[in-house]
Amino acid sequence: MGTIKTYSPYELKPSTPIHPGEILKDELESRGLSQRKFAAIIGVSYSVLNEVINGKRPISTEYALKIEAATGIPAYIWVNMQSAYDIQVTRCDNKFSVILDNIRRTAAIL
Protein backbone atom coordinates (compact mmCIF):
# COMPACT_ATOMS: atom_id res chain seq x y z
CA MET A 1 0.00 0.00 0.00
CA GLY A 2 1.20 3.50 -0.84
CA THR A 3 1.26 6.37 1.56
CA ILE A 4 -1.37 9.03 1.40
CA LYS A 5 0.00 12.54 0.96
CA THR A 6 -1.63 15.19 3.07
CA TYR A 7 -1.64 18.83 2.10
CA SER A 8 -1.64 21.93 4.21
CA PRO A 9 -4.35 24.47 3.32
CA TYR A 10 -1.92 26.81 1.55
CA GLU A 11 -0.70 24.00 -0.73
CA LEU A 12 -4.18 23.35 -2.09
CA LYS A 13 -5.00 25.06 -5.36
CA PRO A 14 -8.64 26.15 -5.60
CA SER A 15 -10.78 25.34 -8.57
CA THR A 16 -12.20 28.21 -10.55
CA PRO A 17 -13.92 30.48 -8.02
CA ILE A 18 -17.71 30.69 -8.29
CA HIS A 19 -19.19 34.09 -7.55
CA PRO A 20 -22.29 33.91 -5.29
CA GLY A 21 -24.17 35.83 -7.99
CA GLU A 22 -24.17 32.62 -10.03
CA ILE A 23 -25.87 30.84 -7.14
CA LEU A 24 -28.41 33.65 -6.88
CA LYS A 25 -29.08 33.39 -10.62
CA ASP A 26 -29.79 29.65 -10.25
CA GLU A 27 -32.05 30.37 -7.27
CA LEU A 28 -34.07 32.94 -9.18
CA GLU A 29 -34.42 30.59 -12.16
CA SER A 30 -35.60 27.75 -9.92
CA ARG A 31 -38.23 30.07 -8.44
CA GLY A 32 -39.30 31.33 -11.85
CA LEU A 33 -38.34 34.92 -11.00
CA SER A 34 -36.84 37.26 -13.57
CA GLN A 35 -33.94 39.48 -12.60
CA ARG A 36 -36.11 42.54 -13.23
CA LYS A 37 -38.88 41.32 -10.92
CA PHE A 38 -36.44 40.31 -8.20
CA ALA A 39 -34.62 43.66 -8.45
CA ALA A 40 -37.96 45.42 -7.93
CA ILE A 41 -38.80 43.18 -4.96
CA ILE A 42 -35.53 43.93 -3.15
CA GLY A 43 -35.45 47.59 -4.15
CA VAL A 44 -32.34 47.74 -6.33
CA SER A 45 -32.00 48.65 -9.97
CA TYR A 46 -31.97 45.91 -12.56
CA SER A 47 -28.45 46.92 -13.64
CA VAL A 48 -27.10 46.58 -10.08
CA LEU A 49 -28.66 43.14 -9.64
CA ASN A 50 -27.39 42.08 -13.06
CA GLU A 51 -23.86 43.15 -12.09
CA VAL A 52 -24.12 41.03 -8.93
CA ILE A 53 -25.39 38.04 -10.88
CA ASN A 54 -22.61 38.42 -13.45
CA GLY A 55 -19.91 38.62 -10.77
CA LYS A 56 -19.05 42.26 -11.44
CA ARG A 57 -20.27 43.47 -8.04
CA PRO A 58 -20.00 41.71 -4.66
CA ILE A 59 -22.94 40.68 -2.53
CA SER A 60 -22.63 43.20 0.29
CA THR A 61 -24.13 42.74 3.74
CA GLU A 62 -26.99 45.02 2.72
CA TYR A 63 -27.73 42.99 -0.43
CA ALA A 64 -27.44 39.76 1.57
CA LEU A 65 -30.09 40.99 4.02
CA LYS A 66 -32.38 42.03 1.16
CA ILE A 67 -31.93 38.65 -0.52
CA GLU A 68 -32.67 36.96 2.82
CA ALA A 69 -35.88 38.97 3.23
CA ALA A 70 -37.03 37.97 -0.26
CA THR A 71 -35.92 34.33 -0.36
CA GLY A 72 -35.62 33.16 3.23
CA ILE A 73 -32.00 32.11 2.59
CA PRO A 74 -30.02 33.45 5.57
CA ALA A 75 -27.88 36.51 4.89
CA TYR A 76 -24.82 34.91 6.48
CA ILE A 77 -24.81 32.27 3.73
CA TRP A 78 -24.54 34.95 1.03
CA VAL A 79 -21.87 36.86 2.96
CA ASN A 80 -19.90 33.66 3.60
CA MET A 81 -20.09 32.69 -0.08
CA GLN A 82 -18.81 36.15 -1.02
CA SER A 83 -15.94 35.88 1.47
CA ALA A 84 -15.00 32.40 0.22
CA TYR A 85 -15.07 33.68 -3.35
CA ASP A 86 -12.88 36.68 -2.48
CA ILE A 87 -10.36 34.41 -0.72
CA GLN A 88 -10.23 32.02 -3.70
CA VAL A 89 -9.70 34.89 -6.15
CA THR A 90 -6.90 36.27 -4.00
CA ARG A 91 -5.27 32.83 -3.65
CA CYS A 92 -5.24 32.59 -7.46
CA ASP A 93 -3.36 35.90 -7.73
CA ASN A 94 0.22 34.90 -8.55
CA LYS A 95 1.75 38.15 -7.29
CA PHE A 96 -0.01 37.77 -3.95
CA SER A 97 1.03 34.10 -3.76
CA VAL A 98 4.67 35.22 -3.90
CA ILE A 99 4.04 37.58 -0.98
CA LEU A 100 2.42 34.77 1.03
CA ASP A 101 5.30 32.39 0.24
CA ASN A 102 7.79 35.01 1.48
CA ILE A 103 5.81 35.44 4.69
CA ARG A 104 5.71 31.66 5.23
CA ARG A 105 9.47 31.35 4.68
CA THR A 106 10.15 34.19 7.11
CA ALA A 107 7.75 32.81 9.71
CA ALA A 108 9.26 29.31 9.41
CA ILE A 109 12.64 30.53 10.67
CA LEU A 110 11.24 32.35 13.70
Side-chain angles (χ1 to χ4, degrees):
M1 294 227 140
T3 59
I4 297 174
K5 172 129 171 73
T6 58
Y7 295 92
S8 63
Y10 62 84
E11 290 178 295
L12 299 176
K13 299 295 180 197
S15 62
T16 303
I18 298 173
H19 190 277
E22 290 185 49
I23 308 301
L24 179 57
K25 179 181 179 184
D26 291 344
E27 185 64 29
L28 297 181
E29 287 174 0
S30 72
R31 293 173 185 239
L33 283 171
S34 71
Q35 289 182 32
R36 287 193 189 283
K37 180 163 179 122
F38 191 71
I41 290 169
I42 67 171
V44 300
S45 71
Y46 165 77
S47 61
V48 166
L49 179 64
N50 186 262
E51 287 177 1
V52 168
I53 285 176
N54 289 311
K56 296 177 182 173
R57 182 184 291 256
I59 292 182
S60 66
T61 304
E62 182 181 303
Y63 292 154
L65 288 166
K66 289 179 176 188
I67 294 167
E68 176 187 74
T71 66
I73 300 169
Y76 73 86
I77 291 175
W78 297 106
V79 171
N80 287 348
M81 281 192 287
Q82 185 65 54
S83 292
Y85 172 80
D86 293 343
I87 287 170
Q88 276 191 300
V89 167
T90 304
R91 282 189 198 274
C92 291
D93 180 328
N94 290 330
K95 288 181 182 179
F96 194 71
S97 292
V98 170
I99 293 168
L100 293 178
D101 288 342
N102 289 336
I103 292 169
R104 289 185 191 101
R105 278 194 293 278
T106 302
I109 61 173
L110 296 179

